[in-house]
Amino acid sequence: GESVGLHLPTLSVQEGDNSIINCAYSNSASDYFIWYKQESGKGPQFIIDIRSNMDKRQGQRVTVLLNKTVKHLSLQIAATQPGDSAVYFCAELNQAGTALIFGKGTTLSVSS
Amino acid sequence: NAGVMQNPRHLVRRRGQEARLRCSPMKGHSHVYWYRQLPEEGLKFMVYLQKENIIDESGMPKERFSAEFPKEGPSILRIQQVVRGDSAAYFCASSPAASQETQYFGPGTRLLVL
């Protein structure tokens, strides 16, 4: 079946460090992936997305890498700031194209 | 440029009562999705609707749950005869017709069943 998971439930970094959050997915036919950030008490906030015909995509301070060979997705945050502290979810679009399948999330804690 | 709106933000119900959750999509968006999030969990898809049509309800429990997105007004997620296990955060997302994949989420409704 379809499932998306994350390698680590928590990640603690110092302000200014680079953060890497990882995600493994199981459906090799998946075509579209998204990273969301969720702060306490709020809804998921879109960060960046990537399609399966790409290996890398960059945004402002964030980069998403897709390794289709090992079905692995990662989110890199440069110069992590305290405001980046949140739960980060990867999600993939299901085969029908009608729903996102979310992983369980990685809690990023940034200390100054 | 308002985002996805949900109300109420918090809802308390006693077992057996009905819960109605409302979602207004972003302006220009005609696709609405409902997800449920249990504590310490990721979001789980429930239902996908377009105006006046349910497109995919594969994530909806078979009983007590229903959803609609009428021609006018917000989308409604309705839970009848709530039980304690229904306590969760319910999120609505929307996307424009031309881009179904990028879903933008609302702030959620936190339902507590006593």
Side-chain angles (χ1 to χ4, degrees), chain A residues 32 34 36 38 40-46 49 51 89 93-94 96-105, chain B residues 9 33 35 37 40-45 48 55-56 58 91 99-108 110:
Chain A
Y32 181 69
I34 307 178
Y36 285 95
Q38 186 176 27
S40 181
K42 296 184 179 180
Q45 177 187 350
F46 173 86
D49 59 1
R51 294 195 177 278
F89 293 97
L93 188 66
N94 69 354
T98 57
L100 291 172
I101 303 167
F102 282 80
K104 288 192 175 182
Chain B
R9 295 292 306 277
Y33 313 78
Y35 293 81
Q37 185 177 33
E40 311 300 325
E41 297 283 332
L43 282 73
K44 301 292 185 187
F45 168 75
Y48 161 42
I55 307 302
D56 181 353
S58 59
F91 291 97
S99 176
Q100 295 186 19
E101 298 92 346
T102 306
Q103 298 179 19
Y104 297 92
F105 283 82
R110 277 127 186 102

Side-chain angles (χ1 to χ4, degrees), chain B residues 42-99:
Chain B
L43 282 73
K44 301 292 185 187
F45 168 75
M46 300 181 75
V47 63
Y48 161 42
L49 311 101
Q50 296 177 21
K51 285 284 187 180
E52 301 185 278
N53 284 304
I54 297 174
I55 307 302
D56 181 353
E57 56 181 347
S58 59
M60 287 281 269
K62 299 300 180 188
E63 298 177 346
R64 302 187 298 107
F65 285 72
S66 62
E68 63 177 8
F69 189 16
K71 186 177 181 180
E72 300 291 337
S75 175
I76 306 288
L77 179 67
R78 181 185 181 201
I79 311 173
Q80 295 177 287
Q81 300 176 334
V82 295
V83 300
R84 286 198 176 136
D86 296 333
S87 295
Y90 291 83
F91 291 97
C92 169
S94 72
S95 66
S99 176

Side-chain angles (χ1 to χ4, degrees), chain A residues 19-37:
Chain A
S19 302
I20 300 176
I21 300 172
N22 296 305
C23 177
Y25 63 94
S26 61
N27 184 2
S28 58
S30 293
D31 179 56
Y32 181 69
F33 304 88
I34 307 178
W35 281 99
Y36 285 95
K37 171 187 180 183

Side-chain angles (χ1 to χ4, degrees), chain A residues 33-107:
Chain A
F33 304 88
I34 307 178
W35 281 99
Y36 285 95
K37 171 187 180 183
Q38 186 176 27
E39 297 175 280
S40 181
K42 296 184 179 180
Q45 177 187 350
F46 173 86
I47 301 174
I48 192 168
D49 59 1
I50 189 167
R51 294 195 177 278
S52 60
N53 61 354
M54 302 173 70
D55 296 324
K56 178 180 180 179
R57 192 167 186 215
Q58 288 186 292
Q60 188 176 16
R61 280 202 308 120
V62 295
T63 301
V64 55
L65 299 176
L66 177 62
N67 185 331
K68 295 178 286 293
T69 302
V70 295
K71 293 184 286 187
H72 183 268
L73 192 69
S74 68
L75 176 70
Q76 300 179 359
I77 305 173
T80 313
Q81 303 168 0
D84 294 327
S85 295
V87 180
Y88 288 81
F89 293 97
C90 65
E92 67 178 309
L93 188 66
N94 69 354
Q95 286 191 298
T98 57
L100 291 172
I101 303 167
F102 282 80
K104 288 192 175 182
T106 290
T107 300

